[in-house]
Amino acid sequence: MNLVLGIDGGGTSCRAAVATADGRILGRAKSGAANIRTDLTGARSSIVEAARRAFADAGLDPDLIARTPAVLGLAGSNVGTYRQQLEAILPFSQSVVESDAAIALEGALGPDDGAIVILGTGTAYMMRRAGAVRTVGGWGFLVGDQGSGARIGRDLLEQTLLAYDGTRPSSPLTQALLTVFRGDPQDVVEFTTNAKPGDFGGFAPMVFDHAEKGDIVAQFILTRAVADIEASLGVLGLKDSEPLCLLGGLAALYATRLSPEYRARLRQPLQDALGGAVSMAVRRFATGEAAHG
């Protein structure tokens, strides 16, 4: 049986799907975080584990992994040499590592023009017009990813410490966050010592929940996040007829907060990023398109 693998890896989780050469998905599975810039070794482990689980879900022998080619869309692959390092140590017969935005664009739009925004643990923007692709953002948690779950969580920790010091207003949200850390601001700081983007992102739902209740700190954080998102969308310069797809775990939470001009462009994606990875794998490996890896 000719098989292909699609992998979608981000700062929170890694998903895998094994499919036939014509794109029919046989099994799916999920594992841990797979941002290759944050933790290359850990990401590889998550990728392999997700692939093994997907084969098991399909009722297939996991030993077939070594004979199966894969397309992987991974956070952190757009900078440095992480992509090449990972391709060299993966167990698949052929491995092509793309950015998480690339597989998301493929899944959301198929061959059509338009733009996507990934709003999850990280953020990234990508637009395709007449075959030309432009990417904005995706620079990672420390120097980018504005509006992401990780940055929202980080902002919450910052605002909580500022409120504790009395330099910014406190609110039910900052009080709730401090309670998580047993009321001790030193525990907040200690948490940040080894926290990864997904750890910060775990606090993002608190911000959205409290914003719905009118919490001033939550609204401050999200107002700034929406402004950052729309600034990046503005750089893409979408034309009137070009659709916009919001993707990622925070997409639905942001959709109602965007300005009317962007809400009017919103379209449902054709399929998710994992489906995009499978489609790319079929095109590269099952239809004879040149592959590398």
Side-chain angles (χ1 to χ4, degrees), residues 6-8 15-17 25 27-29 103-104 107 271-279:
I7 306 284
D8 173 26
R15 299 184 299 152
I25 293 178
R28 303 172 186 262
I103 63 167
Q271 55 182 339
D272 65 8
L274 182 59
V278 170
S279 295

Side-chain angles (χ1 to χ4, degrees), residues 50-285:
R52 288 188 176 279
R53 291 178 182 177
F55 271 75
D57 183 59
L60 296 169
D61 184 352
D63 287 344
L64 290 172
I65 286 175
R67 295 160 49 189
T68 304
V71 166
L72 307 93
L74 303 173
S77 65
N78 60 319
V79 295
T81 61
Y82 302 103
R83 177 196 307 245
Q84 293 85 349
Q85 292 179 58
L86 182 70
E87 286 180 343
I89 59 175
L90 287 171
F92 314 121
S93 64
Q94 295 183 74
S95 302
V96 176
V97 175
E98 301 281 358
S99 71
D100 50 351
I103 63 167
L105 182 73
E106 175 80 18
L109 300 176
D112 298 334
D113 288 351
I116 59 145
V117 184
I118 300 174
L119 300 167
T121 303
T123 55
Y125 306 75
M126 185 173 281
M127 181 183 71
R128 181 170 57 213
R129 180 182 294 150
V133 175
R134 179 177 184 183
T135 302
V136 172
W139 300 121
F141 167 67
L142 291 178
V143 292
D145 284 356
Q146 290 81 7
S148 69
R151 286 293 293 261
I152 288 173
R154 192 213 70 89
D155 289 351
L156 173 56
L157 297 184
E158 178 184 65
Q159 293 300 315
T160 297
L161 292 177
L162 289 170
Y164 178 86
D165 286 337
T167 58
R168 291 282 178 84
S170 64
S171 74
L173 173 59
T174 61
Q175 293 164 10
L177 190 281
L178 197 56
T179 298
V180 172
F181 291 96
R182 300 171 295 182
D184 189 343
Q186 294 186 41
D187 283 355
V188 177
V189 177
E190 190 64 27
F191 165 82
T192 67
T193 303
N194 297 308
K196 295 178 180 178
D199 299 322
F200 285 98
F203 294 111
M206 292 178 63
V207 179
F208 284 95
D209 289 344
H210 280 77
E212 292 298 321
K213 302 171 185 176
D215 187 279
I216 58 172
V217 174
Q219 292 180 340
F220 170 78
I221 292 172
L222 292 184
T223 296
R224 185 166 59 183
V226 170
D228 287 334
I229 291 168
E230 293 194 351
S232 294
L233 284 171
V235 171
L236 292 179
L238 284 167
K239 294 180 179 179
D240 290 341
S241 60
E242 293 173 329
L244 172 65
C245 293
L246 304 185
L247 310 169
L250 301 180
L253 295 173
Y254 273 122
T256 58
R257 297 180 177 275
L258 295 178
S259 300
E261 64 175 295
Y262 292 116
R263 291 204 304 270
R265 296 179 181 277
L266 294 180
R267 302 290 186 274
Q268 287 297 314
L270 298 177
Q271 55 182 339
D272 65 8
L274 182 59
V278 170
S279 295
M280 291 179 75
V282 168
R283 189 171 69 248
R284 286 177 180 270
F285 301 121

